[in-house]
Amino acid sequence: MSVFTLDNVSYSYDGTTNVLDSLSWGFEAGKLYGIVGRSGAGKTTLLSLMAGLTNPSAGRVMFDGTDLATMDRYRYRSHDVGVIFQSFNLLPYLSAVENVELSMYASGKHIQNSRLRAMALLHQVGLDETKAKRRVLKLSGGEQQRVAIARAIGYDPKVVLADEPTGNLDLGTQQDIIDTLTVLAASGRCVVVVTHSPEVAKCMDSVYELKVQSVKRHNR
Amino acid sequence: MFIIRNAIKSVSRSIGRSILLFLIVVAITAAAAVALSIRSTAAQVADDSASQLSVTATIDIDRQNLMQQAQSQQDEPVARESYRDQFSMLQSLPLDTLLEYATSAHVSEFRYSATLSLNTTDDIEAVGSEETTQATQLNESGLEMGGVLSGGGGGAGGPWSFAGVSLGDLSVVGYASESAMTSFVSGQQKIISGAMIDLTQANNEALVSSEFAVYNSLEVGDSLVLANPAATDQTYTFTIVGIYDAGASSTTESLRFSTSQDPANQIIISYPTLSAVEDESSTTATTSTDIRGQSISTALSSTLTHTFVFESPNEYQEFDTQLRAAGLDATYALTSTDLEAYNSSLIPLENLSNFAGKMLLIVLGVGALVFAVVSVFNTRERKYEIGVMTAIGISKLKVVLQFLAEAATVTLLGLLAGLGIGMVAAVPVAETLLANQVSAAQAQQTSVETNFGRPGGGAPMLGGTATLPGLGNTSAVSYIDQINARVDFDVAGQLGAIGLGLALLSSGFGAAFVMRYEPLNILAERS
């Protein structure tokens, strides 16, 4: 049973040329998906559609059998899906742990001991307590990436969407992050990763390749 | 809860912006507190003064209105004779009508008295009759006194007839009640020998002034025989039961054309006695025709003086409305000099209140504008933050609520500080402004007095008096020059509403921008 289904989805920025053209894909729970493609192929656009940040020009994006266009997308984004943005999009005036806590509060899930849970998540992605309490502006790019990952999974969403989650990390840390995402998928979540890295793509259960107006699927 | 936490964090994070907004709110609140307290206290002072004011009024012929009516009815200038004919036909309202009006529930008291002019007889003379004789001789030699004035023989200084009424050398006043004897009530006149007359009885009892008594060697118990100036064979005998101090001495007053105007020559009797004298003269009166062809009667004719008393200006206004509803036409008008004086006394206070109102509007207008501009810049500056929050699923409504919480936090702190400053500053600021208003009002009045050649120059004194406009140089008005402009609960409540309004305004402008933003666009711009 697919958690996500793209039903003949197309997207155009200018109304004439489609960046995405008639995509009909399925994404299942418990699996790690990779989306690869050249720059400008529409990888981030696809992730924005799946995150409910924009609507397709044609077709439907279905989550658990419901068209996203008919859902309360603030609740969807805060409750059902965790997004790891390419440029992190953390609140700069908050500390790392506060950024993670904020997403927990926003989810409305009444998570107990949110501070402890946020600290544990940050520890899991490799940030110690000192760095966890530091304002994110004072963290390196790789550290901010880890905070973004912790924020995306802090409220236990069904789906995790990651846009180049290892783009700013060294090889060792890359592997740690891939391991974390693999564990998340193994725990029953659907994890979708947009990546340029062939090494990362190799770790995926399934990879979709985006080309301009065409797509290839590689199953393992 | 996280909205509040975020709001507080945001306020402390942007401390420079928060301090700027705080100072703006403090300035607005302090100025508004002063302005509101001035307006509130001014209204309170006016209400208190009005509630303590006992208004006196009379119903008189409204000459100004008649003049305007006559002018509006004719295109061409009205002849002097036409005015004279119109006005000569008008008569003051009779006592019966006034007594009927006095039964109104709005009237707390009705006082009246009537004055007759009688002549002395035998060896009794009016005080100052020699000087008056010289004055009248001067007038007979060619000076016109105004009105229809004609000289005649009889008595020490008269009789004179004015508009068909013969003038004697004594003034006989009949009072209906002790409250009508205002000079006695105020203490200007007082009985120094004998007793008060019975005002309810027509028993011919009389009070004479001490000067008149000494001048004619009269004592309590003596009889006083006075004559009708138009028919000297008609005499009336009064019994002196008391002697009073008239207050104003005849020598302190300027030259009079009749001795009856001298306070020392005022004989006081009861209104029933005066009425009986008047009735008696009517029964024996004869009529004749003067050289102008007008009919002249020897009957005594009194002049009625009346006063309606009201507990408040509001009762006065109600009574005025009631009079018109009862059919009192525009020929007559209810007028009150002390109400005019009261209204004039409030002029500086009203000016101050108006000034405070304008100041409040300007402060709120400028404050709201500054707040709105700061809010718009603030929201635009935080565009990325809004984009991130909405991207992770925080609704725009919650973002707006956070902005409102931030504005409310800063506004609350500013409100408290501004309220404190306003409480301290309200009294001295209000007193200084009121003193300026009083000085301006006095200076203006002094200037008017100087223009008319009356004394009144020099620097006006704070809290002093100025001549009441429209009443010549005899009526003075005392301006209210003290105001205790306190910041009370009402003012604090109004300031709270202003603070809430500012916070909502600020958030409202912010909300308008937040609602326009789409997270994807913001984050794409950032990327």
Side-chain angles (χ1 to χ4, degrees):
Chain A
M1 168 83 182
S2 292
V3 177
F4 255 115
T5 306
L6 303 182
D7 179 13
N8 218 22
V9 168
S10 298
Y11 190 84
S12 169
Y13 284 102
D14 58 11
T16 55
T17 310
N18 282 344
V19 178
L20 302 174
D21 191 43
S22 304
L23 298 183
S24 292
W25 296 350
F27 297 87
E28 293 176 10
K31 282 195 171 181
L32 192 59
Y33 291 91
I35 296 175
V36 297
R38 291 169 59 185
S39 291
K43 300 186 295 295
T44 300
T45 303
L46 178 60
L47 214 67
S48 297
L49 286 170
M50 294 171 77
L53 288 167
T54 187
N55 290 322
S57 305
R60 295 182 301 171
V61 179
M62 311 289 285
F63 173 74
D64 271 350
T66 308
D67 187 353
L68 277 187
T70 64
M71 291 175 69
D72 173 356
R73 276 180 291 172
Y74 286 106
R75 177 176 160 75
Y76 166 71
R77 285 203 294 272
S78 66
H79 196 267
D80 299 316
V81 64
V83 183
I84 302 162
F85 295 96
Q86 190 174 9
S87 52
F88 324 134
N89 292 338
L90 300 169
L91 288 179
Y93 59 87
L94 296 181
S95 67
V97 70
E98 285 168 342
N99 264 287
V100 179
E101 272 188 291
L102 179 63
S103 66
M104 293 180 186
Y105 286 124
S107 72
K109 287 185 175 177
H110 304 293
I111 295 163
Q112 298 296 316
N113 300 320
S114 58
R115 173 57 61 109
L116 285 177
R117 178 171 162 75
M119 292 298 280
L121 283 170
L122 288 168
H123 183 71
Q124 191 181 329
V125 294
L127 289 178
D128 60 24
E129 190 176 343
T130 307
K131 288 186 176 175
K133 290 180 178 175
R134 200 172 282 172
R135 280 173 69 170
V136 291
L137 274 182
K138 295 184 177 176
L139 297 176
S140 69
E143 288 165 338
Q144 287 186 41
Q145 186 110 356
R146 292 175 216 200
V147 177
I149 293 167
R151 184 182 67 180
I153 61 177
Y155 47 95
D156 202 16
K158 284 184 180 176
V159 178
V160 174
L161 306 174
D163 192 358
E164 300 283 4
T166 57
N168 297 291
L169 305 178
D170 56 66
L171 284 176
T173 312
Q174 262 189 34
Q175 192 54 53
D176 290 343
I177 296 301
I178 290 168
D179 290 346
T180 302
L181 295 173
T182 305
V183 169
L184 283 172
S187 65
R189 291 175 186 81
C190 172
V191 180
V192 181
V193 179
V194 167
T195 183
H196 273 109
S197 166
E199 289 77 19
V200 174
K202 280 180 191 170
C203 302
M204 302 293 114
D205 296 325
S206 185
V207 176
Y208 289 108
E209 185 179 352
L210 273 175
K211 290 184 178 177
V212 177
Q213 297 186 5
S214 67
V215 61
K216 261 185 195 172
R217 178 170 175 176
H218 310 278
N219 286 321
R220 296 175 193 283
Chain B
M1 187 60 193
F2 79 91
I3 290 174
I4 305 292
R5 273 181 51 174
N6 250 18
I8 292 169
K9 201 169 273 290
S10 179
V11 168
S12 59
R13 167 176 60 94
S14 310
I15 193 70
R17 186 184 64 215
S18 300
I19 288 174
L20 175 66
L21 281 173
F22 171 81
L23 291 176
I24 293 170
V25 175
V26 168
I28 293 172
T29 310
V34 172
L36 284 171
S37 64
I38 287 173
R39 285 182 67 79
S40 169
T41 310
Q44 187 66 43
V45 168
D47 286 348
D48 288 350
S49 302
S51 65
Q52 292 166 10
L53 181 71
S54 180
V55 180
T56 61
T58 58
I59 301 175
D60 298 313
I61 295 167
D62 190 349
R63 290 179 180 276
Q64 193 175 4
N65 185 36
L66 284 174
M67 193 81 78
Q68 286 170 350
Q69 279 185 347
Q71 285 173 336
S72 65
Q73 286 166 3
Q74 299 181 32
D75 294 333
E76 294 181 1
V78 185
R80 190 191 304 174
E81 289 72 21
S82 174
Y83 282 131
R84 190 175 292 164
D85 291 345
Q86 273 190 308
F87 293 142
S88 65
M89 291 170 65
L90 294 170
Q91 291 186 330
S92 297
L93 289 176
L95 180 60
D96 290 346
T97 306
L98 294 172
L99 285 170
E100 192 181 324
Y101 289 149
T103 57
S104 166
H106 300 297
V107 177
S108 67
E109 190 185 349
F110 178 63
R111 308 166 187 157
Y112 63 96
S113 63
T115 305
L116 279 176
S117 194
L118 294 178
N119 261 353
T120 51
T121 58
D122 301 331
D123 53 347
I124 299 293
E125 285 187 6
V127 176
S129 56
E130 287 180 11
E131 293 90 332
T132 311
T133 305
Q134 290 167 5
T136 52
Q137 284 168 350
L138 186 64
N139 289 323
E140 283 170 326
S141 67
L143 290 176
E144 189 180 339
M145 299 291 288
V148 184
L149 187 64
S150 59
W160 288 85
S161 94
F162 187 82
V165 178
S166 295
L167 295 179
D169 46 17
L170 294 179
S171 187
V172 180
V173 186
Y175 288 104
S177 62
E178 288 185 355
S179 61
M181 301 171 70
T182 51
S183 294
F184 281 81
V185 173
S186 67
Q188 187 185 345
Q189 296 180 336
K190 57 183 74 172
I191 292 174
I192 54 175
S193 176
M196 175 64 183
I197 56 176
D198 185 350
L199 295 176
T200 62
Q201 300 296 319
N203 52 12
N204 285 24
E205 289 178 348
L207 298 176
V208 297
S209 73
S210 56
E211 206 171 345
F212 183 79
V214 170
Y215 195 73
N216 293 290
S217 302
L218 293 171
E219 292 180 354
V220 172
D222 288 350
S223 290
L224 177 65
V225 180
L226 302 178
N228 183 341
T232 50
D233 57 324
Q234 292 175 17
T235 59
Y236 310 96
T237 305
F238 302 94
T239 306
I240 299 170
V241 298
I243 295 171
Y244 70 94
D245 177 7
S249 167
S250 59
T251 55
T252 61
E253 300 295 327
S254 58
L255 198 64
R256 300 177 175 88
F257 77 88
S258 171
T259 54
S260 64
Q261 291 183 303
D262 192 325
N265 293 325
Q266 190 177 75
I267 312 297
I268 295 173
I269 60 175
S270 69
Y271 183 81
T273 299
L274 182 139
S275 189
V277 168
E278 206 173 4
D279 289 346
E280 187 183 334
S281 79
S282 295
T283 57
T284 57
T286 58
T287 55
S288 58
T289 305
D290 68 3
I291 53 171
R292 299 169 68 96
Q294 289 183 332
S295 178
I296 298 176
S297 170
T298 61
L300 291 169
S301 178
S302 64
T303 305
L304 186 67
T305 305
H306 69 277
T307 305
F308 291 94
V309 183
F310 307 93
E311 287 181 351
S312 69
N314 191 41
E315 294 288 354
Y316 167 87
Q317 297 293 350
E318 293 282 343
F319 181 63
D320 194 23
T321 307
Q322 196 178 44
L323 284 179
R324 297 302 173 197
L328 182 69
D329 63 41
T331 309
Y332 300 95
L334 182 69
T335 55
S336 170
T337 53
D338 45 12
L339 191 60
E340 286 173 18
Y342 161 74
N343 288 333
S344 298
S345 74
L346 294 180
I347 287 173
L349 203 59
E350 285 172 352
N351 288 345
L352 178 62
S353 183
N354 291 337
F355 172 76
K358 285 173 187 167
M359 184 174 86
L360 182 65
L361 285 178
I362 292 169
V363 164
L364 289 182
V366 172
L369 187 66
V370 171
F371 233 75
V373 169
V374 171
S375 171
V376 167
F377 277 104
N378 176 34
T379 308
R380 289 174 65 87
E381 188 185 288
R382 296 170 68 181
K383 196 173 174 180
Y384 170 68
E385 181 186 340
I386 295 164
V388 171
M389 290 172 79
T390 50
I392 65 170
I394 297 173
S395 69
K396 288 179 179 177
L397 177 64
K398 285 181 179 171
V399 174
V400 170
L401 285 176
Q402 182 187 317
F403 280 32
L404 176 62
E406 289 173 22
T409 305
V410 176
T411 305
L412 181 66
L413 294 173
L415 205 65
L416 292 173
L419 192 65
I421 294 171
M423 287 173 78
V424 174
V427 172
V429 170
E431 286 186 352
T432 304
L433 292 174
L434 182 60
N436 289 341
Q437 293 293 338
V438 169
S439 296
Q442 287 174 329
Q444 185 184 6
Q445 190 52 43
T446 303
S447 170
V448 171
E449 292 298 306
T450 308
N451 293 343
F452 281 100
R454 299 183 189 118
M461 299 294 290
L462 180 65
T465 58
T467 306
L468 189 64
L471 291 176
N473 61 350
T474 54
S475 256
V477 59
S478 183
Y479 295 121
I480 292 175
D481 64 341
Q482 291 291 323
I483 182 170
N484 185 16
R486 284 176 291 110
V487 177
D488 55 17
F489 284 114
D490 283 350
V491 171
Q494 290 170 27
L495 286 174
I498 288 172
L500 182 65
L502 287 174
L504 287 174
L505 178 81
S506 166
S507 309
F509 276 95
F513 275 81
V514 169
M515 290 301 173
R516 283 174 48 203
Y517 291 153
E518 285 304 324
L520 189 62
N521 296 337
I522 297 171
L523 299 180
E525 280 176 24
R526 177 79 170 193
S527 297

